[in-house]
Amino acid sequence: MALDRWIALILAGICLAYGYTAWFTMDANLAPFMQRNPIWPSTFPKILSILGLISAFIILFSFEKSDEVIGDIDYRRLHEYKLGQALMLLGLMVIYALSLRPIGFISSTMGFLILGSFLLGERKWPVMVLVAFIAAFTIWYLVSEVLGIYMRPWPAFISNMLGG
């Protein structure tokens, strides 16, 4: 079996476990007033698990028939791929997750987006900074102000100076 089908099989297993959790265990302890809501906390995970299963089954059963094989990953030639770049990006993701609380959402998200795009080959600094600021601020605004979920936007010492 090809590598993409193995990955699809693993993804299907993860989506099945995620879907089981979303369908059967997440809503068990909902407060009575929330049980009458049309959208529950498990609605988005249910949709994600279904879409993930559909995608995994499309790849697994290869509904996209093609005679030519393009881009198969040869595990014997892994040294020829950009594994260092991928591992550095994974490490950057871990650093991003660990830096959210100490330096705030906007600062850490901007840093992640700028360094990640630099790592992937972008070299236009003004564009990277502008896109990172707009994306980080927009996501923070939507989550914090629209959804009402508090996220510290700046490092603690700046928030204290601004009075927030």
Side-chain angles (χ1 to χ4, degrees):
M1 187 162 41
L3 182 62
D4 59 343
R5 290 188 180 176
W6 279 109
I7 293 172
L9 185 64
I10 293 168
L11 179 65
I14 291 170
C15 287
L16 282 172
Y18 189 59
Y20 177 81
T21 303
W23 287 92
F24 297 110
T25 63
M26 282 182 76
D27 299 328
N29 296 325
L30 277 179
F33 71 91
M34 288 189 71
Q35 292 178 355
R36 294 185 192 95
N37 288 344
I39 297 177
W40 291 4
S42 66
T43 302
F44 190 63
K46 288 175 184 176
I47 293 170
L48 280 179
S49 66
I50 291 170
L51 291 176
L53 277 172
I54 290 170
S55 301
F57 285 142
I58 287 173
I59 295 169
L60 196 57
F61 297 124
S62 65
F63 292 127
E64 77 287 341
K65 297 292 183 190
S66 176
D67 292 334
E68 65 181 75
V69 178
I70 298 175
D72 273 351
I73 297 175
D74 186 5
Y75 64 89
R76 292 176 296 252
R77 298 182 334 158
L78 281 180
H79 63 280
E80 295 177 12
Y81 298 113
K82 296 184 178 183
L83 284 180
Q85 192 177 22
L87 292 174
M88 284 191 291
L89 195 58
L90 285 172
L92 188 60
M93 289 178 194
V94 170
I95 292 169
Y96 169 68
L98 294 174
S99 69
L100 278 170
R101 284 185 188 249
I103 67 171
F105 180 80
I106 294 177
S107 306
S108 59
T109 302
M110 281 184 61
F112 172 74
L113 291 175
I114 291 169
L115 291 174
S117 61
F118 179 78
L119 184 65
L120 294 174
E122 182 62 45
R123 296 297 184 261
K124 298 176 184 169
W125 287 99
V127 174
M128 290 191 311
V129 171
L130 181 65
V131 168
F133 179 75
I134 291 172
F137 186 78
T138 303
I139 293 169
W140 171 81
Y141 180 79
L142 289 173
V143 171
S144 185
E145 301 299 322
V146 175
L147 294 177
I149 301 170
Y150 177 74
M151 289 191 307
R152 178 185 294 153
W154 307 110
F157 69 91
I158 293 176
S159 296
N160 292 339
M161 286 190 314
L162 296 175

